[in-house]
Amino acid sequence: MIVTIRQALNRALGDALEADPDVFIVGEDVAGNGGVFKVTDGLLDRFGADRIYDTPISEQAIIGCSIGAALSGLRPVAEIMFADFAAVCFDQLVNQMAKIRYMSGGQTGLPVTVRMANGGGGAFAAQHSQTGEHWFLNTPGLKLVAPSNPADAYGLMRAAIADPNPVLFFEHKSMYNDKGELPEDPQVVEIGRAAIVRPGESATVVASQAMVGKALEAAEQLAQRGVSLEVIDLRTIAPLDYETVGASVDRTNNLIAVQEAPVGGSWASTLVTEIVGRHFESLDSAPAVVASDDTPVPFGEAMERAWLPDADAIVSAAERLLKV
């Protein structure tokens, strides 16, 4: 059946709540209003106020509550309305949530799933448009998930909620209405496993979330000229699936990483470093990174479009890399 990413996430949350009485949802406007992006719409009617909790406007309270609940044996799903607002509760995320399992010698799990709407394209300006997953890459103990289609959104959400470790789950707000196939009996998707969404031979293009679609557009354009791009959807930012990407680079001998963020401190930088170190002999040329400018996300629609990488930028990078 064809559904939107929003519908797939809603079903995943409902199925998780139904399957496990320890699962509950907490966040601003997640109950009565169904969430600002309507991902939790209808869940209050199905499961009641004991399972779906509205909170004050306090990210620190939401994450603090979730940490305590998880330590008590529950499985909270916390919503931070915009990924940008994770900065408000950064200490709790990186110094508490990420480290409790390690500091307890593995005796204490922390099964918290933190949902965050991220990404640009909606003219929400610099404080509401960032891809915040890059902030957490230097924090061992956190898994970072970023799906790009309904089936992965469902499968990765179910995997995140079942995981004994904290998972930050990023939902691209410009993609909530994107449609795709969701099986009648959807499957859990393994966290940490990338997907080859278009096989190719000339170069490996690695992308996540909205950039996956841009990479596929670029691959279609170049295919008309006999250039075959292999497109990989990371699906998970941490852990990064170096094995799938590396095996692809061994076949194509070229790498292009595409991300919606500046280069510094990003998954693309990390990926390129690891692939060069592990697969140097396979590379015919230096890897290319297609990324946003090193500025805050602009507010003006025309400026934001210019800031976001597009298919033409990927085509240009491939032309330079492959000299076509």
Side-chain angles (χ1 to χ4, degrees):
M1 103 183 121
I2 303 299
V3 302
T4 64
I5 288 179
R6 176 186 289 106
Q7 290 169 326
L9 290 167
N10 182 275
R11 179 174 173 186
L13 292 168
D15 288 355
L17 286 159
E18 195 168 84
D20 186 347
D22 289 334
V23 175
F24 71 95
I25 295 175
V26 59
E28 299 167 22
D29 295 326
V30 296
N33 289 333
V36 68
F37 297 107
K38 297 301 180 184
V39 173
T40 56
D41 193 34
L43 296 181
L44 176 64
D45 292 337
R46 287 179 61 189
F47 298 100
D50 289 341
R51 306 284 300 281
I52 317 294
Y53 292 90
D54 277 338
T55 70
I57 303 174
S58 173
E59 287 74 23
Q60 291 172 316
I62 294 167
I63 298 304
C65 164
S66 298
I67 291 172
L71 289 172
S72 301
L74 300 177
R75 288 185 176 273
V77 179
E79 179 179 302
I80 301 299
M81 190 180 293
F82 287 84
D84 317 63
F85 301 164
V88 178
C89 50
F90 203 76
D91 178 71
Q92 289 161 301
L93 291 167
V94 304
N95 279 330
Q96 307 304 325
M97 184 182 292
K99 295 177 172 62
I100 286 173
R101 188 181 181 101
Y102 174 79
M103 295 180 72
S104 71
Q107 297 179 76
T108 302
L110 207 74
V112 180
T113 301
V114 182
R115 297 180 43 245
M116 307 186 203
N118 73 328
F124 284 108
Q127 295 173 331
H128 296 73
S129 302
Q130 299 164 96
T131 50
E133 56 265 32
H134 301 88
W135 299 351
F136 300 97
L137 277 172
N138 202 32
T139 305
L142 296 175
K143 296 184 178 183
L144 312 178
V145 173
S148 70
N149 60 73
D152 285 349
Y154 178 94
L156 288 166
M157 179 61 74
R158 293 301 305 274
I161 295 172
D163 202 295
N165 303 289
V167 179
L168 307 188
F169 197 101
F170 295 90
E171 303 164 10
H172 202 292
K173 53 185 169 287
S174 75
M175 301 180 72
Y176 275 128
N177 289 325
D178 286 9
K179 294 182 178 180
E181 181 71 31
L182 184 68
E184 291 293 335
D185 184 23
Q187 301 300 303
V188 172
V189 175
E190 181 183 356
I191 292 176
R193 184 73 63 186
I196 297 174
V197 294
R198 180 179 177 127
E201 300 174 356
S202 303
T204 299
V205 181
V206 184
S208 69
Q209 289 201 320
M211 293 299 105
V212 175
K214 303 303 181 185
L216 290 171
E217 288 179 34
E220 187 61 33
Q221 290 182 33
L222 286 169
Q224 309 305 315
R225 297 160 53 187
V227 178
S228 174
L229 297 183
E230 179 150 293
V231 179
I232 295 178
D233 180 354
L234 276 181
R235 303 198 290 190
T236 302
I237 306 302
L240 276 168
D241 186 355
Y242 299 117
E243 288 70 26
T244 295
V245 176
S248 176
V249 169
D250 287 341
R251 293 192 303 272
T252 69
N253 309 119
N254 293 285
L255 173 64
I256 303 171
V258 187
Q259 68 177 26
E260 183 185 328
V263 174
S266 66
W267 69 253
S269 298
T270 303
L271 180 71
V272 166
T273 299
E274 286 293 326
I275 295 301
V276 168
R278 300 182 188 193
H279 300 269
F280 182 78
E281 296 297 330
S282 294
L283 290 164
D284 287 344
S285 56
V289 176
V290 179
S292 302
D293 292 334
D294 192 16
T295 70
V297 186
F299 169 65
E301 291 186 18
M303 294 178 66
E304 185 183 40
R305 283 196 301 272
W307 186 88
L308 292 166
D310 59 13
D312 289 342
I314 301 169
V315 168
S316 296
E319 290 173 336
R320 291 192 298 271
L321 197 68
L322 302 173
K323 297 179 173 58
V324 295

